[in-house]
Amino acid sequence: SQQGEEDPQALSIQEGENATMNCSYKTSINNLQWYRQNSGRGLVHLILIRSNEREKHSGRLRVTLDTSKKSSSLLITASRAADTASYFCATDKNRDDKIIFGKGTRLHILP
Amino acid sequence: GAGVSQSPSNKVTEKGKDVELRCDPISGHTALYWYRQSLGQGLEFLIYFQGNSAPDKSGLPSDRFSAERTGGSVSTLTIQRTQQEDSAVYLCASSRDRGLDEQYFGPGTRLTVT
């Protein structure tokens, strides 16, 4: 069964606006990761947040983690056309030594 | 330094043929994953290698799929008697140590079964 589920499935916003994507998961985790994928090829790691962390920043990215709600959010501020991509969260399942990806959120930045 | 490489980048094959897909992970990375991604879909986990441990094959969709990793480095994913539903992009990733570390992805192999 799916461990991480992103929400929404697709999102279109105007350039310059903020984009928020959410990820929910089912079991306890060690960490949660966010990845970006352009053009259906290899994924690029964006940020990793550990289970004992609540918030993490990297440039225009802000990730939060709420382990009580088993959810995470990825915020991209001041969006740009180049942010158009699919975004995936990935978590370990029951602290297994591998990670499982969600189905992703397709983000489209409108000019 | 060199990233994860995969070959071929594209493969077109006839239904019923066998195919081999190759992945060269980053040197020194002990964990290696194979994923499959159909058009517009998420990543489907296939198989995971960690060091010298027995691989986690729980994601392989059928016994037509197999993978090996020789010498703890290069990995080959083999699909026997390919079917049209096998058409997808096959992605390989490696990570430094444990599977929970950041993963570095290759560019993928786009497989088309006609």
Side-chain angles (χ1 to χ4, degrees), chain A residues 30-31 33 35 37 41-42 45 92 97-99 101, chain B residues 33 35 37 48 56 99-100 102-103 105-108:
Chain A
N30 284 306
N31 63 46
Q33 304 181 42
Y35 288 79
Q37 184 181 38
R41 287 291 184 160
H45 181 264
D92 54 304
D97 196 23
K98 67 175 186 281
I99 64 173
F101 285 80
Chain B
Y33 290 82
Y35 298 94
Q37 187 177 34
Y48 163 55
D56 180 339
L100 302 181
E102 171 186 349
Q103 293 191 9
F105 279 80

mmCIF file with all atom_site columns, all heavy atoms in Angstrom, chain A residues 30-31 33 35 37 41-42 45 92 97-99 101, chain B residues 33 35 37 48 56 99-100 102-103 105-108:
data_model
loop_
_atom_site.group_PDB
_atom_site.id
_atom_site.type_symbol
_atom_site.label_atom_id
_atom_site.label_alt_id
_atom_site.label_comp_id
_atom_site.label_asym_id
_atom_site.label_entity_id
_atom_site.label_seq_id
_atom_site.pdbx_PDB_ins_code
_atom_site.Cartn_x
_atom_site.Cartn_y
_atom_site.Cartn_z
_atom_site.occupancy
_atom_site.B_iso_or_equiv
_atom_site.pdbx_formal_charge
_atom_site.auth_seq_id
_atom_site.auth_comp_id
_atom_site.auth_asym_id
_atom_site.auth_atom_id
_atom_site.pdbx_PDB_model_num
ATOM 1   N N   . ASN A 1 30  ? 11.706 7.550  9.894   1.00 0.00 ? 30  ASN A N   1
ATOM 2   C CA  . ASN A 1 30  ? 12.983 8.118  10.330  1.00 0.00 ? 30  ASN A CA  1
ATOM 3   C C   . ASN A 1 30  ? 13.171 9.514  9.747   1.00 0.00 ? 30  ASN A C   1
ATOM 4   O O   . ASN A 1 30  ? 13.627 10.419 10.412  1.00 0.00 ? 30  ASN A O   1
ATOM 5   C CB  . ASN A 1 30  ? 14.158 7.236  9.901   1.00 0.00 ? 30  ASN A CB  1
ATOM 6   C CG  . ASN A 1 30  ? 14.282 6.002  10.754  1.00 0.00 ? 30  ASN A CG  1
ATOM 7   O OD1 . ASN A 1 30  ? 14.354 6.080  11.973  1.00 0.00 ? 30  ASN A OD1 1
ATOM 8   N ND2 . ASN A 1 30  ? 14.284 4.842  10.117  1.00 0.00 ? 30  ASN A ND2 1
ATOM 9   N N   . ASN A 1 31  ? 12.869 9.630  8.474   1.00 0.00 ? 31  ASN A N   1
ATOM 10  C CA  . ASN A 1 31  ? 12.962 10.938 7.838   1.00 0.00 ? 31  ASN A CA  1
ATOM 11  C C   . ASN A 1 31  ? 12.027 10.994 6.643   1.00 0.00 ? 31  ASN A C   1
ATOM 12  O O   . ASN A 1 31  ? 11.443 9.989  6.230   1.00 0.00 ? 31  ASN A O   1
ATOM 13  C CB  . ASN A 1 31  ? 14.401 11.272 7.422   1.00 0.00 ? 31  ASN A CB  1
ATOM 14  C CG  . ASN A 1 31  ? 14.967 10.322 6.382   1.00 0.00 ? 31  ASN A CG  1
ATOM 15  O OD1 . ASN A 1 31  ? 14.310 9.999  5.400   1.00 0.00 ? 31  ASN A OD1 1
ATOM 16  N ND2 . ASN A 1 31  ? 16.191 9.871  6.595   1.00 0.00 ? 31  ASN A ND2 1
ATOM 17  N N   . GLN A 1 33  ? 11.743 12.937 2.707   1.00 0.00 ? 33  GLN A N   1
ATOM 18  C CA  . GLN A 1 33  ? 12.510 13.661 1.697   1.00 0.00 ? 33  GLN A CA  1
ATOM 19  C C   . GLN A 1 33  ? 11.565 14.197 0.624   1.00 0.00 ? 33  GLN A C   1
ATOM 20  O O   . GLN A 1 33  ? 10.532 13.591 0.334   1.00 0.00 ? 33  GLN A O   1
ATOM 21  C CB  . GLN A 1 33  ? 13.542 12.739 1.047   1.00 0.00 ? 33  GLN A CB  1
ATOM 22  C CG  . GLN A 1 33  ? 14.485 12.079 2.045   1.00 0.00 ? 33  GLN A CG  1
ATOM 23  C CD  . GLN A 1 33  ? 15.504 11.185 1.378   1.00 0.00 ? 33  GLN A CD  1
ATOM 24  O OE1 . GLN A 1 33  ? 16.068 11.531 0.338   1.00 0.00 ? 33  GLN A OE1 1
ATOM 25  N NE2 . GLN A 1 33  ? 15.764 10.030 1.978   1.00 0.00 ? 33  GLN A NE2 1
ATOM 26  N N   . TYR A 1 35  ? 11.625 15.497 -3.477  1.00 0.00 ? 35  TYR A N   1
ATOM 27  C CA  . TYR A 1 35  ? 12.375 15.451 -4.725  1.00 0.00 ? 35  TYR A CA  1
ATOM 28  C C   . TYR A 1 35  ? 11.595 16.198 -5.803  1.00 0.00 ? 35  TYR A C   1
ATOM 29  O O   . TYR A 1 35  ? 10.362 16.307 -5.747  1.00 0.00 ? 35  TYR A O   1
ATOM 30  C CB  . TYR A 1 35  ? 12.575 14.003 -5.197  1.00 0.00 ? 35  TYR A CB  1
ATOM 31  C CG  . TYR A 1 35  ? 13.560 13.198 -4.387  1.00 0.00 ? 35  TYR A CG  1
ATOM 32  C CD1 . TYR A 1 35  ? 13.192 12.650 -3.158  1.00 0.00 ? 35  TYR A CD1 1
ATOM 33  C CD2 . TYR A 1 35  ? 14.852 12.970 -4.852  1.00 0.00 ? 35  TYR A CD2 1
ATOM 34  C CE1 . TYR A 1 35  ? 14.096 11.899 -2.416  1.00 0.00 ? 35  TYR A CE1 1
ATOM 35  C CE2 . TYR A 1 35  ? 15.756 12.215 -4.117  1.00 0.00 ? 35  TYR A CE2 1
ATOM 36  C CZ  . TYR A 1 35  ? 15.364 11.690 -2.903  1.00 0.00 ? 35  TYR A CZ  1
ATOM 37  O OH  . TYR A 1 35  ? 16.261 10.946 -2.167  1.00 0.00 ? 35  TYR A OH  1
ATOM 38  N N   . GLN A 1 37  ? 11.150 16.445 -10.153 1.00 0.00 ? 37  GLN A N   1
ATOM 39  C CA  . GLN A 1 37  ? 11.405 15.749 -11.412 1.00 0.00 ? 37  GLN A CA  1
ATOM 40  C C   . GLN A 1 37  ? 10.959 16.629 -12.575 1.00 0.00 ? 37  GLN A C   1
ATOM 41  O O   . GLN A 1 37  ? 9.801  17.051 -12.634 1.00 0.00 ? 37  GLN A O   1
ATOM 42  C CB  . GLN A 1 37  ? 10.664 14.417 -11.474 1.00 0.00 ? 37  GLN A CB  1
ATOM 43  C CG  . GLN A 1 37  ? 10.975 13.610 -12.734 1.00 0.00 ? 37  GLN A CG  1
ATOM 44  C CD  . GLN A 1 37  ? 10.196 12.305 -12.787 1.00 0.00 ? 37  GLN A CD  1
ATOM 45  O OE1 . GLN A 1 37  ? 9.046  12.235 -12.394 1.00 0.00 ? 37  GLN A OE1 1
ATOM 46  N NE2 . GLN A 1 37  ? 10.852 11.250 -13.281 1.00 0.00 ? 37  GLN A NE2 1
ATOM 47  N N   . ARG A 1 41  ? 12.259 12.482 -16.275 1.00 0.00 ? 41  ARG A N   1
ATOM 48  C CA  . ARG A 1 41  ? 13.548 11.802 -16.162 1.00 0.00 ? 41  ARG A CA  1
ATOM 49  C C   . ARG A 1 41  ? 13.971 11.710 -14.709 1.00 0.00 ? 41  ARG A C   1
ATOM 50  O O   . ARG A 1 41  ? 13.124 11.584 -13.835 1.00 0.00 ? 41  ARG A O   1
ATOM 51  C CB  . ARG A 1 41  ? 14.578 12.534 -17.023 1.00 0.00 ? 41  ARG A CB  1
ATOM 52  C CG  . ARG A 1 41  ? 14.340 12.291 -18.512 1.00 0.00 ? 41  ARG A CG  1
ATOM 53  C CD  . ARG A 1 41  ? 14.639 10.861 -18.906 1.00 0.00 ? 41  ARG A CD  1
ATOM 54  N NE  . ARG A 1 41  ? 14.505 10.632 -20.340 1.00 0.00 ? 41  ARG A NE  1
ATOM 55  C CZ  . ARG A 1 41  ? 15.058 9.603  -20.995 1.00 0.00 ? 41  ARG A CZ  1
ATOM 56  N NH1 . ARG A 1 41  ? 15.764 8.706  -20.341 1.00 0.00 ? 41  ARG A NH1 1
ATOM 57  N NH2 . ARG A 1 41  ? 14.879 9.459  -22.282 1.00 0.00 ? 41  ARG A NH2 1
ATOM 58  N N   . GLY A 1 42  ? 15.265 11.719 -14.453 1.00 0.00 ? 42  GLY A N   1
ATOM 59  C CA  . GLY A 1 42  ? 15.751 11.486 -13.094 1.00 0.00 ? 42  GLY A CA  1
ATOM 60  C C   . GLY A 1 42  ? 15.291 12.525 -12.097 1.00 0.00 ? 42  GLY A C   1
ATOM 61  O O   . GLY A 1 42  ? 15.086 13.684 -12.433 1.00 0.00 ? 42  GLY A O   1
ATOM 62  N N   . HIS A 1 45  ? 17.130 15.497 -5.606  1.00 0.00 ? 45  HIS A N   1
ATOM 63  C CA  . HIS A 1 45  ? 16.839 15.655 -4.183  1.00 0.00 ? 45  HIS A CA  1
ATOM 64  C C   . HIS A 1 45  ? 16.769 17.134 -3.820  1.00 0.00 ? 45  HIS A C   1
ATOM 65  O O   . HIS A 1 45  ? 17.637 17.920 -4.215  1.00 0.00 ? 45  HIS A O   1
ATOM 66  C CB  . HIS A 1 45  ? 17.932 14.969 -3.370  1.00 0.00 ? 45  HIS A CB  1
ATOM 67  C CG  . HIS A 1 45  ? 17.733 15.051 -1.896  1.00 0.00 ? 45  HIS A CG  1
ATOM 68  N ND1 . HIS A 1 45  ? 18.331 16.015 -1.118  1.00 0.00 ? 45  HIS A ND1 1
ATOM 69  C CD2 . HIS A 1 45  ? 17.000 14.294 -1.062  1.00 0.00 ? 45  HIS A CD2 1
ATOM 70  C CE1 . HIS A 1 45  ? 17.972 15.845 0.135   1.00 0.00 ? 45  HIS A CE1 1
ATOM 71  N NE2 . HIS A 1 45  ? 17.171 14.806 0.195   1.00 0.00 ? 45  HIS A NE2 1
ATOM 72  N N   . ASP A 1 92  ? 10.469 6.436  4.589   1.00 0.00 ? 92  ASP A N   1
ATOM 73  C CA  . ASP A 1 92  ? 10.671 5.030  4.901   1.00 0.00 ? 92  ASP A CA  1
ATOM 74  C C   . ASP A 1 92  ? 9.381  4.512  5.521   1.00 0.00 ? 92  ASP A C   1
ATOM 75  O O   . ASP A 1 92  ? 8.581  5.277  6.048   1.00 0.00 ? 92  ASP A O   1
ATOM 76  C CB  . ASP A 1 92  ? 11.855 4.840  5.851   1.00 0.00 ? 92  ASP A CB  1
ATOM 77  C CG  . ASP A 1 92  ? 11.728 5.669  7.100   1.00 0.00 ? 92  ASP A CG  1
ATOM 78  O OD1 . ASP A 1 92  ? 11.583 6.900  6.997   1.00 0.00 ? 92  ASP A OD1 1
ATOM 79  O OD2 . ASP A 1 92  ? 11.770 5.099  8.199   1.00 0.00 ? 92  ASP A OD2 1
ATOM 80  N N   . ASP A 1 97  ? 14.653 -0.066 5.964   1.00 0.00 ? 97  ASP A N   1
ATOM 81  C CA  . ASP A 1 97  ? 15.857 0.550  5.440   1.00 0.00 ? 97  ASP A CA  1
ATOM 82  C C   . ASP A 1 97  ? 15.740 0.839  3.954   1.00 0.00 ? 97  ASP A C   1
ATOM 83  O O   . ASP A 1 97  ? 16.654 0.578  3.197   1.00 0.00 ? 97  ASP A O   1
ATOM 84  C CB  . ASP A 1 97  ? 17.058 -0.363 5.730   1.00 0.00 ? 97  ASP A CB  1
ATOM 85  C CG  . ASP A 1 97  ? 18.367 0.374  5.569   1.00 0.00 ? 97  ASP A CG  1
ATOM 86  O OD1 . ASP A 1 97  ? 18.377 1.615  5.672   1.00 0.00 ? 97  ASP A OD1 1
ATOM 87  O OD2 . ASP A 1 97  ? 19.390 -0.287 5.335   1.00 0.00 ? 97  ASP A OD2 1
ATOM 88  N N   . LYS A 1 98  ? 14.609 1.346  3.511   1.00 0.00 ? 98  LYS A N   1
ATOM 89  C CA  . LYS A 1 98  ? 14.462 1.818  2.148   1.00 0.00 ? 98  LYS A CA  1
ATOM 90  C C   . LYS A 1 98  ? 13.349 2.855  2.165   1.00 0.00 ? 98  LYS A C   1
ATOM 91  O O   . LYS A 1 98  ? 12.597 2.979  3.119   1.00 0.00 ? 98  LYS A O   1
ATOM 92  C CB  . LYS A 1 98  ? 14.106 0.691  1.184   1.00 0.00 ? 98  LYS A CB  1
ATOM 93  C CG  . LYS A 1 98  ? 12.734 0.057  1.361   1.00 0.00 ? 98  LYS A CG  1
ATOM 94  C CD  . LYS A 1 98  ? 12.484 -0.951 0.250   1.00 0.00 ? 98  LYS A CD  1
ATOM 95  C CE  . LYS A 1 98  ? 11.070 -1.501 0.280   1.00 0.00 ? 98  LYS A CE  1
ATOM 96  N NZ  . LYS A 1 98  ? 10.912 -2.530 1.309   1.00 0.00 ? 98  LYS A NZ  1
ATOM 97  N N   . ILE A 1 99  ? 13.263 3.650  1.104   1.00 0.00 ? 99  ILE A N   1
ATOM 98  C CA  . ILE A 1 99  ? 12.231 4.675  1.053   1.00 0.00 ? 99  ILE A CA  1
ATOM 99  C C   . ILE A 1 99  ? 11.267 4.408  -0.095  1.00 0.00 ? 99  ILE A C   1
ATOM 100 O O   . ILE A 1 99  ? 11.630 3.776  -1.082  1.00 0.00 ? 99  ILE A O   1
ATOM 101 C CB  . ILE A 1 99  ? 12.815 6.098  0.946   1.00 0.00 ? 99  ILE A CB  1
ATOM 102 C CG1 . ILE A 1 99  ? 13.584 6.290  -0.351  1.00 0.00 ? 99  ILE A CG1 1
ATOM 103 C CG2 . ILE A 1 99  ? 13.672 6.408  2.152   1.00 0.00 ? 99  ILE A CG2 1
ATOM 104 C CD1 . ILE A 1 99  ? 14.026 7.729  -0.552  1.00 0.00 ? 99  ILE A CD1 1
ATOM 105 N N   . PHE A 1 101 ? 8.287  6.253  -2.613  1.00 0.00 ? 101 PHE A N   1
ATOM 106 C CA  . PHE A 1 101 ? 7.839  7.532  -3.146  1.00 0.00 ? 101 PHE A CA  1
ATOM 107 C C   . PHE A 1 101 ? 6.325  7.582  -3.277  1.00 0.00 ? 101 PHE A C   1
ATOM 108 O O   . PHE A 1 101 ? 5.678  6.572  -3.571  1.00 0.00 ? 101 PHE A O   1
ATOM 109 C CB  . PHE A 1 101 ? 8.472  7.771  -4.524  1.00 0.00 ? 101 PHE A CB  1
ATOM 110 C CG  . PHE A 1 101 ? 9.914  8.150  -4.465  1.00 0.00 ? 101 PHE A CG  1
ATOM 111 C CD1 . PHE A 1 101 ? 10.889 7.177  -4.290  1.00 0.00 ? 101 PHE A CD1 1
ATOM 112 C CD2 . PHE A 1 101 ? 10.310 9.468  -4.572  1.00 0.00 ? 101 PHE A CD2 1
ATOM 113 C CE1 . PHE A 1 101 ? 12.225 7.514  -4.229  1.00 0.00 ? 101 PHE A CE1 1
ATOM 114 C CE2 . PHE A 1 101 ? 11.646 9.818  -4.510  1.00 0.00 ? 101 PHE A CE2 1
ATOM 115 C CZ  . PHE A 1 101 ? 12.607 8.842  -4.335  1.00 0.00 ? 101 PHE A CZ  1
ATOM 116 N N   . TYR B 2 33  ? 18.879 1.375  -5.989  1.00 0.00 ? 33  TYR B N   1
ATOM 117 C CA  . TYR B 2 33  ? 17.463 1.128  -6.204  1.00 0.00 ? 33  TYR B CA  1
ATOM 118 C C   . TYR B 2 33  ? 17.155 1.076  -7.696  1.00 0.00 ? 33  TYR B C   1
ATOM 119 O O   . TYR B 2 33  ? 17.755 1.803  -8.480  1.00 0.00 ? 33  TYR B O   1
ATOM 120 C CB  . TYR B 2 33  ? 16.616 2.299  -5.681  1.00 0.00 ? 33  TYR B CB  1
ATOM 121 C CG  . TYR B 2 33  ? 16.539 2.485  -4.205  1.00 0.00 ? 33  TYR B CG  1
ATOM 122 C CD1 . TYR B 2 33  ? 17.542 3.135  -3.510  1.00 0.00 ? 33  TYR B CD1 1
ATOM 123 C CD2 . TYR B 2 33  ? 15.413 2.081  -3.499  1.00 0.00 ? 33  TYR B CD2 1
ATOM 124 C CE1 . TYR B 2 33  ? 17.445 3.349  -2.148  1.00 0.00 ? 33  TYR B CE1 1
ATOM 125 C CE2 . TYR B 2 33  ? 15.303 2.294  -2.144  1.00 0.00 ? 33  TYR B CE2 1
ATOM 126 C CZ  . TYR B 2 33  ? 16.325 2.932  -1.475  1.00 0.00 ? 33  TYR B CZ  1
ATOM 127 O OH  . TYR B 2 33  ? 16.214 3.146  -0.129  1.00 0.00 ? 33  TYR B OH  1
ATOM 128 N N   . TYR B 2 35  ? 13.566 1.676  -9.995  1.00 0.00 ? 35  TYR B N   1
ATOM 129 C CA  . TYR B 2 35  ? 12.173 2.098  -9.988  1.00 0.00 ? 35  TYR B CA  1
ATOM 130 C C   . TYR B 2 35  ? 11.640 2.041  -11.416 1.00 0.00 ? 35  TYR B C   1
ATOM 131 O O   . TYR B 2 35  ? 12.391 2.093  -12.387 1.00 0.00 ? 35  TYR B O   1
ATOM 132 C CB  . TYR B 2 35  ? 12.023 3.543  -9.504  1.00 0.00 ? 35  TYR B CB  1
ATOM 133 C CG  . TYR B 2 35  ? 12.483 3.817  -8.101  1.00 0.00 ? 35  TYR B CG  1
ATOM 134 C CD1 . TYR B 2 35  ? 13.770 4.275  -7.856  1.00 0.00 ? 35  TYR B CD1 1
ATOM 135 C CD2 . TYR B 2 35  ? 11.629 3.645  -7.022  1.00 0.00 ? 35  TYR B CD2 1
ATOM 136 C CE1 . TYR B 2 35  ? 14.207 4.541  -6.565  1.00 0.00 ? 35  TYR B CE1 1
ATOM 137 C CE2 . TYR B 2 35  ? 12.045 3.917  -5.722  1.00 0.00 ? 35  TYR B CE2 1
ATOM 138 C CZ  . TYR B 2 35  ? 13.338 4.361  -5.511  1.00 0.00 ? 35  TYR B CZ  1
ATOM 139 O OH  . TYR B 2 35  ? 13.756 4.629  -4.233  1.00 0.00 ? 35  TYR B OH  1
ATOM 140 N N   . GLN B 2 37  ? 8.570  3.961  -13.825 1.00 0.00 ? 37  GLN B N   1
ATOM 141 C CA  . GLN B 2 37  ? 7.625  5.075  -13.865 1.00 0.00 ? 37  GLN B CA  1
ATOM 142 C C   . GLN B 2 37  ? 6.904  5.078  -15.196 1.00 0.00 ? 37  GLN B C   1
ATOM 143 O O   . GLN B 2 37  ? 7.527  5.281  -16.244 1.00 0.00 ? 37  GLN B O   1
ATOM 144 C CB  . GLN B 2 37  ? 8.337  6.410  -13.648 1.00 0.00 ? 37  GLN B CB  1
ATOM 145 C CG  . GLN B 2 37  ? 7.394  7.596  -13.517 1.00 0.00 ? 37  GLN B CG  1
ATOM 146 C CD  . GLN B 2 37  ? 8.132  8.881  -13.243 1.00 0.00 ? 37  GLN B CD  1
ATOM 147 O OE1 . GLN B 2 37  ? 9.243  9.086  -13.719 1.00 0.00 ? 37  GLN B OE1 1
ATOM 148 N NE2 . GLN B 2 37  ? 7.519  9.766  -12.468 1.00 0.00 ? 37  GLN B NE2 1
ATOM 149 N N   . TYR B 2 48  ? 15.825 -3.313 -4.352  1.00 0.00 ? 48  TYR B N   1
ATOM 150 C CA  . TYR B 2 48  ? 16.769 -2.521 -3.577  1.00 0.00 ? 48  TYR B CA  1
ATOM 151 C C   . TYR B 2 48  ? 17.932 -3.398 -3.163  1.00 0.00 ? 48  TYR B C   1
ATOM 152 O O   . TYR B 2 48  ? 17.735 -4.491 -2.632  1.00 0.00 ? 48  TYR B O   1
ATOM 153 C CB  . TYR B 2 48  ? 16.039 -1.956 -2.356  1.00 0.00 ? 48  TYR B CB  1
ATOM 154 C CG  . TYR B 2 48  ? 16.891 -1.450 -1.219  1.00 0.00 ? 48  TYR B CG  1
ATOM 155 C CD1 . TYR B 2 48  ? 17.867 -0.482 -1.428  1.00 0.00 ? 48  TYR B CD1 1
ATOM 156 C CD2 . TYR B 2 48  ? 16.686 -1.914 0.074   1.00 0.00 ? 48  TYR B CD2 1
ATOM 157 C CE1 . TYR B 2 48  ? 18.622 -0.004 -0.372  1.00 0.00 ? 48  TYR B CE1 1
ATOM 158 C CE2 . TYR B 2 48  ? 17.439 -1.442 1.137   1.00 0.00 ? 48  TYR B CE2 1
ATOM 159 C CZ  . TYR B 2 48  ? 18.407 -0.485 0.908   1.00 0.00 ? 48  TYR B CZ  1
ATOM 160 O OH  . TYR B 2 48  ? 19.148 0.002  1.942   1.00 0.00 ? 48  TYR B OH  1
ATOM 161 N N   . ASP B 2 56  ? 16.220 -6.673 -1.626  1.00 0.00 ? 56  ASP B N   1
ATOM 162 C CA  . ASP B 2 56  ? 14.785 -6.594 -1.363  1.00 0.00 ? 56  ASP B CA  1
ATOM 163 C C   . ASP B 2 56  ? 14.074 -6.593 -2.710  1.00 0.00 ? 56  ASP B C   1
ATOM 164 O O   . ASP B 2 56  ? 14.084 -5.590 -3.415  1.00 0.00 ? 56  ASP B O   1
ATOM 165 C CB  . ASP B 2 56  ? 14.474 -5.321 -0.570  1.00 0.00 ? 56  ASP B CB  1
ATOM 166 C CG  . ASP B 2 56  ? 12.993 -5.167 -0.247  1.00 0.00 ? 56  ASP B CG  1
ATOM 167 O OD1 . ASP B 2 56  ? 12.143 -5.786 -0.921  1.00 0.00 ? 56  ASP B OD1 1
ATOM 168 O OD2 . ASP B 2 56  ? 12.684 -4.394 0.668   1.00 0.00 ? 56  ASP B OD2 1
ATOM 169 N N   . GLY B 2 99  ? 19.756 3.067  2.947   1.00 0.00 ? 99  GLY B N   1
ATOM 170 C CA  . GLY B 2 99  ? 18.759 3.449  1.969   1.00 0.00 ? 99  GLY B CA  1
ATOM 171 C C   . GLY B 2 99  ? 18.002 4.710  2.323   1.00 0.00 ? 99  GLY B C   1
ATOM 172 O O   . GLY B 2 99  ? 17.323 5.277  1.486   1.00 0.00 ? 99  GLY B O   1
ATOM 173 N N   . LEU B 2 100 ? 18.145 5.183  3.563   1.00 0.00 ? 100 LEU B N   1
ATOM 174 C CA  . LEU B 2 100 ? 17.386 6.362  3.952   1.00 0.00 ? 100 LEU B CA  1
ATOM 175 C C   . LEU B 2 100 ? 18.118 7.652  3.603   1.00 0.00 ? 100 LEU B C   1
ATOM 176 O O   . LEU B 2 100 ? 17.592 8.730  3.793   1.00 0.00 ? 100 LEU B O   1
ATOM 177 C CB  . LEU B 2 100 ? 17.115 6.322  5.461   1.00 0.00 ? 100 LEU B CB  1
ATOM 178 C CG  . LEU B 2 100 ? 16.369 5.083  5.956   1.00 0.00 ? 100 LEU B CG  1
ATOM 179 C CD1 . LEU B 2 100 ? 16.154 5.175  7.448   1.00 0.00 ? 100 LEU B CD1 1
ATOM 180 C CD2 . LEU B 2 100 ? 15.049 4.935  5.231   1.00 0.00 ? 100 LEU B CD2 1
ATOM 181 N N   . GLU B 2 102 ? 19.994 10.517 1.131   1.00 0.00 ? 102 GLU B N   1
ATOM 182 C CA  . GLU B 2 102 ? 19.638 11.164 -0.123  1.00 0.00 ? 102 GLU B CA  1
ATOM 183 C C   . GLU B 2 102 ? 19.968 10.250 -1.297  1.00 0.00 ? 102 GLU B C   1
ATOM 184 O O   . GLU B 2 102 ? 21.054 9.664  -1.345  1.00 0.00 ? 102 GLU B O   1
ATOM 185 C CB  . GLU B 2 102 ? 20.404 12.470 -0.250  1.00 0.00 ? 102 GLU B CB  1
ATOM 186 C CG  . GLU B 2 102 ? 20.288 13.143 -1.601  1.00 0.00 ? 102 GLU B CG  1
ATOM 187 C CD  . GLU B 2 102 ? 21.180 14.355 -1.699  1.00 0.00 ? 102 GLU B CD  1
ATOM 188 O OE1 . GLU B 2 102 ? 21.718 14.783 -0.653  1.00 0.00 ? 102 GLU B OE1 1
ATOM 189 O OE2 . GLU B 2 102 ? 21.347 14.883 -2.812  1.00 0.00 ? 102 GLU B OE2 1
ATOM 190 N N   . GLN B 2 103 ? 19.042 10.145 -2.229  1.00 0.00 ? 103 GLN B N   1
ATOM 191 C CA  . GLN B 2 103 ? 19.265 9.313  -3.398  1.00 0.00 ? 103 GLN B CA  1
ATOM 192 C C   . GLN B 2 103 ? 19.669 10.165 -4.592  1.00 0.00 ? 103 GLN B C   1
ATOM 193 O O   . GLN B 2 103 ? 19.134 11.249 -4.796  1.00 0.00 ? 103 GLN B O   1
ATOM 194 C CB  . GLN B 2 103 ? 17.991 8.534  -3.736  1.00 0.00 ? 103 GLN B CB  1
ATOM 195 C CG  . GLN B 2 103 ? 17.643 7.497  -2.681  1.00 0.00 ? 103 GLN B CG  1
ATOM 196 C CD  . GLN B 2 103 ? 16.562 6.562  -3.143  1.00 0.00 ? 103 GLN B CD  1
ATOM 197 O OE1 . GLN B 2 103 ? 16.151 6.545  -4.300  1.00 0.00 ? 103 GLN B OE1 1
ATOM 198 N NE2 . GLN B 2 103 ? 16.078 5.748  -2.232  1.00 0.00 ? 103 GLN B NE2 1
ATOM 199 N N   . PHE B 2 105 ? 19.794 10.086 -8.622  1.00 0.00 ? 105 PHE B N   1
ATOM 200 C CA  . PHE B 2 105 ? 19.137 9.366  -9.703  1.00 0.00 ? 105 PHE B CA  1
ATOM 201 C C   . PHE B 2 105 ? 19.917 9.456  -11.006 1.00 0.00 ? 105 PHE B C   1
ATOM 202 O O   . PHE B 2 105 ? 20.533 10.479 -11.322 1.00 0.00 ? 105 PHE B O   1
ATOM 203 C CB  . PHE B 2 105 ? 17.734 9.921  -9.944  1.00 0.00 ? 105 PHE B CB  1
ATOM 204 C CG  . PHE B 2 105 ? 16.713 9.399  -8.990  1.00 0.00 ? 105 PHE B CG  1
ATOM 205 C CD1 . PHE B 2 105 ? 16.602 9.925  -7.718  1.00 0.00 ? 105 PHE B CD1 1
ATOM 206 C CD2 . PHE B 2 105 ? 15.863 8.364  -9.363  1.00 0.00 ? 105 PHE B CD2 1
ATOM 207 C CE1 . PHE B 2 105 ? 15.663 9.437  -6.821  1.00 0.00 ? 105 PHE B CE1 1
ATOM 208 C CE2 . PHE B 2 105 ? 14.920 7.875  -8.477  1.00 0.00 ? 105 PHE B CE2 1
ATOM 209 C CZ  . PHE B 2 105 ? 14.824 8.406  -7.212  1.00 0.00 ? 105 PHE B CZ  1
ATOM 210 N N   . GLY B 2 106 ? 19.825 8.389  -11.773 1.00 0.00 ? 106 GLY B N   1
ATOM 211 C CA  . GLY B 2 106 ? 20.290 8.415  -13.144 1.00 0.00 ? 106 GLY B CA  1
ATOM 212 C C   . GLY B 2 106 ? 19.227 9.025  -14.041 1.00 0.00 ? 106 GLY B C   1
ATOM 213 O O   . GLY B 2 106 ? 18.108 9.306  -13.593 1.00 0.00 ? 106 GLY B O   1
ATOM 214 N N   . PRO B 2 107 ? 19.548 9.218  -15.318 1.00 0.00 ? 107 PRO B N   1
ATOM 215 C CA  . PRO B 2 107 ? 18.607 9.850  -16.242 1.00 0.00 ? 107 PRO B CA  1
ATOM 216 C C   . PRO B 2 107 ? 17.493 8.922  -16.712 1.00 0.00 ? 107 PRO B C   1
ATOM 217 O O   . PRO B 2 107 ? 16.528 9.369  -17.322 1.00 0.00 ? 107 PRO B O   1
ATOM 218 C CB  . PRO B 2 107 ? 19.497 10.256 -17.425 1.00 0.00 ? 107 PRO B CB  1
ATOM 219 C CG  . PRO B 2 107 ? 20.608 9.278  -17.387 1.00 0.00 ? 107 PRO B CG  1
ATOM 220 C CD  . PRO B 2 107 ? 20.851 8.975  -15.943 1.00 0.00 ? 107 PRO B CD  1
ATOM 221 N N   . GLY B 2 108 ? 17.623 7.642  -16.428 1.00 0.00 ? 108 GLY B N   1
ATOM 222 C CA  . GLY B 2 108 ? 16.573 6.700  -16.796 1.00 0.00 ? 108 GLY B CA  1
ATOM 223 C C   . GLY B 2 108 ? 16.764 6.068  -18.163 1.00 0.00 ? 108 GLY B C   1
ATOM 224 O O   . GLY B 2 108 ? 17.501 6.570  -19.016 1.00 0.00 ? 108 GLY B O   1
#
